Amino acid sequence: MDRRLEAGWGQKVAWSVVVVGSMSILAWVPFLYVGIRRGRRSDWVAFAVFVGYIVAVAPWAASTSDGPGDAVLGTVVIVAMAAAVMMLLFTVFDKPGTKDDAVNVAQPEGRQFLE
């Protein structure tokens, strides 16, 4: 059975504040946490995508820092930030207390036949 990683709204918002507060530079941090804690392949893929994003955007931002700004770079940063926040708020963490978990905890396998 896959490991679950439940989070309340406070933790989801806190991770989102990390992403927004760092202008998506630290967007990979929450996904590293999820990858270590839950360990699903999709968690590690999300982590790798955001690390790849930083590897691509950091030199781009450094090379365009002299001028008035790069509209495409700003758009890419905002889209990445929005994607990370939406993933953190709605898709990455498991919903707490699903019905299947409550049934399995209440009656472990075979236990209902002993009573």
Side-chain angles (χ1 to χ4, degrees):
M1 182 175 169
D2 288 333
R3 290 186 288 180
R4 297 180 47 79
L5 184 59
E6 298 175 358
W9 280 103
Q11 185 177 6
K12 292 176 183 180
V13 169
W15 282 123
S16 298
V17 167
V18 168
V19 172
V20 173
S22 69
M23 295 297 295
S24 75
I25 293 171
L26 297 177
W28 57 273
V29 173
F31 296 99
L32 174 63
Y33 168 78
V34 171
I36 290 171
R37 292 288 308 263
R38 193 166 54 181
R40 292 182 186 165
R41 183 176 303 212
S42 61
D43 299 333
W44 289 111
V45 168
F47 168 70
V49 166
F50 282 104
V51 167
Y53 159 76
I54 293 302
V55 167
V57 168
W60 184 10
S63 68
T64 61
S65 64
D66 296 335
D70 188 354
V72 176
L73 176 63
T75 303
V76 168
V77 168
I78 291 171
V79 167
M81 192 176 354
V85 168
M86 290 300 132
M87 288 174 68
L88 289 168
L89 290 177
F90 302 113
T91 63
V92 172
F93 295 100
D94 296 317
K95 293 180 181 169
T98 61
K99 182 179 178 184
D100 184 46
D101 289 340
V103 170
N104 288 335
V105 169
Q107 294 183 347
E109 188 175 333
R111 176 130 185 159
Q112 66 271 21
F113 299 114
L114 296 175
E115 297 176 358

